[in-house]
Amino acid sequence: MISKRHFLFNIGIVVFPWLSLLFIGKRSFKRFSIAGIFIIGFEIINHLYGHKRKWWKFYNKRKSFLRDELPFSIGPYMPLSMWLLKISYGNFKKFAILNAIADGIFAFFLIDVLKKFKIIGLNKLGHFQFFLYLHYKAYLLYGFQYLFEKIRGYRIYM
């Protein structure tokens, strides 16, 4: 049974990042949405693998991918990816640094806050390993967007 705290957290982690996309602009949404969809699909595969390996632990009694990991996949990944691409695409160094900051905040700070609220905690991964698990996908995202724009003939804006 899902706790009320976990249910509200799941709603928030999905709704608020998606609401932020109202401010990204129609052109940016169209430009970066394919890469965002790609990263959601890739992240779901990663979460399934991590779920199987028990890299993290959710505090609900009954384990459920749909209730536990899926909100993390469909909630912040696409909107955050699109915002980071909008802010820094064309400047790879800036993109990598912003992603490292965002992933570091989650891996080294927010994961401990979520553990204190009894939502999720790391099980078989340390904080640095979890950071690497989060961060390597940033390079795939940037590479995917680069190839997509090269194929589609978009100009790279700096």
Side-chain angles (χ1 to χ4, degrees), residues 107-108 122 125-134:
F108 295 106
L122 296 176
L125 292 178
H127 288 284
F128 186 70
Q129 291 170 315
F130 188 59
F131 169 79
L132 293 175
Y133 165 81
L134 294 171

Side-chain angles (χ1 to χ4, degrees), residues 6-23:
H6 193 143
F7 177 76
L8 293 174
F9 175 77
N10 283 351
I11 297 295
I13 201 171
V14 173
V15 171
F16 291 122
W18 281 92
L19 285 176
S20 76
L21 290 179
L22 294 172
F23 304 104

Side-chain angles (χ1 to χ4, degrees), residues 42-60:
F42 192 78
E43 185 58 25
I44 288 172
I45 293 167
N46 276 269
H47 277 166
L48 287 168
Y49 185 75
H51 179 82
K52 182 179 177 185
R53 295 280 193 182
K54 298 181 182 169
W55 285 347
W56 42 77
K57 172 180 70 169
F58 283 88
Y59 287 91
N60 293 323

Side-chain angles (χ1 to χ4, degrees), residues 9-130:
F9 175 77
N10 283 351
I11 297 295
I13 201 171
V14 173
V15 171
F16 291 122
W18 281 92
L19 285 176
S20 76
L21 290 179
L22 294 172
F23 304 104
I24 200 168
K26 186 177 181 180
R27 184 175 181 207
S28 294
F29 185 84
K30 284 183 178 181
R31 182 179 182 194
F32 300 123
S33 62
I34 300 299
I37 291 168
F38 164 75
I39 205 66
I40 283 178
F42 192 78
E43 185 58 25
I44 288 172
I45 293 167
N46 276 269
H47 277 166
L48 287 168
Y49 185 75
H51 179 82
K52 182 179 177 185
R53 295 280 193 182
K54 298 181 182 169
W55 285 347
W56 42 77
K57 172 180 70 169
F58 283 88
Y59 287 91
N60 293 323
K61 294 294 181 200
R62 295 182 65 211
K63 305 299 179 212
S64 169
F65 175 80
L66 295 175
R67 184 187 61 235
D68 295 338
E69 283 95 350
L70 191 62
F72 282 93
S73 297
I74 63 173
Y77 273 96
M78 183 172 174
L80 182 60
S81 298
M82 291 173 65
W83 276 108
L84 290 172
L85 285 169
K86 178 184 171 122
I87 292 167
S88 62
Y89 189 70
N91 184 342
F92 182 73
K93 190 177 190 181
K94 183 178 180 181
F95 178 81
I97 289 169
L98 287 175
N99 266 283
I101 291 168
D103 294 336
I105 288 170
F106 188 73
F108 295 106
F109 175 70
L110 288 178
I111 198 73
D112 288 336
V113 171
L114 295 175
K115 184 176 183 177
K116 286 182 183 179
F117 282 107
K118 300 234 182 257
I119 293 174
I120 184 176
L122 296 176
N123 191 28
K124 292 186 176 181
L125 292 178
H127 288 284
F128 186 70
Q129 291 170 315
F130 188 59

